[in-house]
C-alpha cells in the first residue's frame, strides 16, 4: 500500500467488532492490489497488543499473516 499507516488510526481506535470485520477484509477478502504489506500488518499487531487482552486474538491474527501463515 502506498501509505503504510493509512489504517493505523482505525486499528488504534476501532471497536472490537469493527476490527474483526476490518481484519477479515484486509487479510483475506480484499483484492490483491489492496493487500497490506507485512510491515504495515506488523504495526497493527503492535498497536493491538497495546490495547490489551480484548484485542489479543486480533493481534495474533496479524502476527500469523506476517509470518506467512495467514493469507
Amino acid at each position: 500500500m502506498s501509505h503504510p499507516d493509512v489504517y493505523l488510526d482505525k486499528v488504534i481506535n476501532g471497536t472490537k467488532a469493527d476490527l474483526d470485520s476490518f481484519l477479515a477484509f484486509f487479510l483475506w477478502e480484499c483484492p490483491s492490489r489492496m493487500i497490506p504489506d507485512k510491515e504495515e500488518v506488523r504495526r497493527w499487531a503492535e498497536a493491538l497488543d497495546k490495547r490489551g487482552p480484548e484485542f489479543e486474538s486480533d493481534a495474533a491474527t496479524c502476527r500469523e499473516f506476517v509470518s506467512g501463515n495467514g493469507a
Side-chain angles (χ1 to χ4, degrees):
M1 299 183 101
S2 57
H3 300 94
D5 293 319
V6 70
Y7 296 110
L8 191 57
D9 184 64
K10 181 168 191 70
V11 171
I12 292 170
N13 297 304
T15 66
K16 175 73 171 131
D18 287 344
L19 286 171
D20 288 346
S21 297
F22 171 85
L23 292 175
F25 176 76
F26 279 103
L27 301 183
W28 295 290
E29 301 167 1
C30 70
S32 60
R33 73 183 187 289
M34 294 177 67
I35 296 171
D37 63 40
K38 289 184 178 187
E39 181 60 27
E40 184 172 8
V41 178
R42 184 191 58 75
R43 284 191 295 271
W44 295 354
E46 290 173 356
L48 290 164
D49 281 334
K50 291 177 183 176
R51 294 194 66 183
E54 180 182 1
F55 297 93
E56 189 174 300
S57 63
D58 290 325
T61 298
C62 290
R63 286 191 293 276
E64 287 176 17
F65 178 88
V66 169
S67 71
N69 298 326

